[in-house]
């Protein structure tokens, strides 16, 4: 008889998800899958709206990834109008991107991923969380908060506010940086470089300590997709490159042509779509996007410190590296890269330029905006009529690209580590670690149409008697 083990909700991720594991009386696992049961309606919300509203509207998709949606939406809007972004505005949008990576990657490592490695997968859930980190090392926790704040300060200076950006408009941006802004932000960015180096120095021995877990959790060998520019790691612009399991480039193409290569599959157990490489079909076309995919896809990194870390990483794990928990390691290399790039951009006098916007004129058109969100490749695709009104919108988020790999990784892991219908809490946490490695954002991927949070609140008296459940 098949019994279902449910892990619900999966903790320390963005949004809401459930893992279902089918296991028989002998403890043999026959299947495991990721359930995402909310529907995202933003593509429909956009239809009928003026396209210039899109970069501000799509920030409401998610409170964690608003910069990603703002920037991808802005690039798509510029393409709909058929204009090149004003030169200074392009620099400011890119700087905004690095600010987001600094705050998002530092948040994920210290507060979502680190508890599993600092205390161990079998530690008590009461300890294995952000409050456990604060109690164990309050000085480190304070530094982590300051680190994330650097990213938020850069985002606020370029985006108008630290969440839900408002500055990107058709053809450019509404707000430039002053020299006073640069004088304030540049020392912070330099400090972020030092903290990134310290974070890698802290994390690498921990990764080595848990290398056995890294080798068995989340196995999902795949192709990898990411932006590159002249072979370098790229987060804002460039070409999309797909590499195979042997590390060879399968295709490098203009992001606006993504529909020629990518199709979407729908699982019967989830509302989260699952893109795949069209030419190879659903069964064989699985690829991943992520920090690990990006450093697999690129030939090198343009900044010296991050590139040195990449070479050390490749010496240890090869190219492409496939171990899912190495996402954490790759994320920290990108953290260092983003900090170095922020220093470079803030040191460039062009960042205070005045070429903030080019004129635009409504027309019928199609615009595709592709950037790298912290979690992987993000695509916005809009069609407009002759009045600039959106007639069709399609959004593919990083978490969707990784949907099949997460399901494959869960099944492979469950079949390796579960041998009883009643596994211990630490075993179930290892299943959650597979999901956390991807840093998925289910808030981006899906939303409940009813606008309700799938959260149950239970109020008990001090004696344990339940007095309210909503």
């Amino acid at each position: 008889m098949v019994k279902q083990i449910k892990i619900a909700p999966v903790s320390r991720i963005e949004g809401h998800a459930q893992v279902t594991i089918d296991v028989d009386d002998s403890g043999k696992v026959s299947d495991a899958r990721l359930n995402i049961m909310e529907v995202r309606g933003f593509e429909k919300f956009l239809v009928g709206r003026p396209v210039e509203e899109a970069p501000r509207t799509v920030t409401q998709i998610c409170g964690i990834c608003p910069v990603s949606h703002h920037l991808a939406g802005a690039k798509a809007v510029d393409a709909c109008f058929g204009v090149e972004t004003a030169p200074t505005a392009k620099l400011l949008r890119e700087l905004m991107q690095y600010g987001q990576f600094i705050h998002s990657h530092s948040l994920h490592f210290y507060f979502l991923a680190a508890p599993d490695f600092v205390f161990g997968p079998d530690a008590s859930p009461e300890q294995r969380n952000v409050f456990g980190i604060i109690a164990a090392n309050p000085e480190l926790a304070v530094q982590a908060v300051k680190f994330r704040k650097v990213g938020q300060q850069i985002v606020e200076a370029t985006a108008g506010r630290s969440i839900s950006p408002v500055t990107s408009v058709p053809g450019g941006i509404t707000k430039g940086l002053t020299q006073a802004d640069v004088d304030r932000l540049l020392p912070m960015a330099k400090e972020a470089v030092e903290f990134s180096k310290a974070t890698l120095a802290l994390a690498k021995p921990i990764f080595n300590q848990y290398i056995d877990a890294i080798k068995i959790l989340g196995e999902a060998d795949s192709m990898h997709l990411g932006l590159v520019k002249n072979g370098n790691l790229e987060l804002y612009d460039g070409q999309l490159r797909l590499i195979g399991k042997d590390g060879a480039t399968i295709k490098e193409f203009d992001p606006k042509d993504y529909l020629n290569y990518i199709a979407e599959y729908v699982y019967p157990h989830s509302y989260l779509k699952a893109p795949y490489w069209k030419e190879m079909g659903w069964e064989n076309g699985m690829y991943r996007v992520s920090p690990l995919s990006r450093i697999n896809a690129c030939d090198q990194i343009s900044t010296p410190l991050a590139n040195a870390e990449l070479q050390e990483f490749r010496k240890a794990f090869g190219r492409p590296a496939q171990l899912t928990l190495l996402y954490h390691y790759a994320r920290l290399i990108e953290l260092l890269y983003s900090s170095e790039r922020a220093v470079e951009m803030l040191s460039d006098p062009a960042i205070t330029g005045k070429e903030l916007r080019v004129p635009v004129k409504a027309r019928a058109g199609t615009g595709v905006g592709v950037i790298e969100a912290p979690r992987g490749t993000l695509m916005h695709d809009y069609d407009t009529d002759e009045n600039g009104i959106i007639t069709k919108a399609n959004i593919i988020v990083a978490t969707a690209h990784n949907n099949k790999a997460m399901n494959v990784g869960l099944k492979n892991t469950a079949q390796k580590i579960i041998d009883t219908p009643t596994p211990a809490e630490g075993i179930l946490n290892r299943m959650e670690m597979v999901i956390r490695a991807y840093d998925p954002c289910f808030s981006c991927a899906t939303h409940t149409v009813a606008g309700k949070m799938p959260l149950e609140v239970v109020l008990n008296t001090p004696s344990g008697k339940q007095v309210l459940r909503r």
Side-chain angles (χ1 to χ4, degrees), residues 282-293:
W282 165 245
E283 291 300 325
N284 300 312
M286 183 176 81
Y287 64 87
R288 289 186 279 181
V289 302
S290 64
L292 184 65
S293 298

Side-chain angles (χ1 to χ4, degrees), residues 268-285:
H269 59 263
S270 177
Y271 282 113
L272 177 57
K273 296 184 290 186
Y276 61 95
W277 193 250
K278 187 185 292 186
E279 186 179 54
M280 298 181 184
W282 165 245
E283 291 300 325
N284 300 312

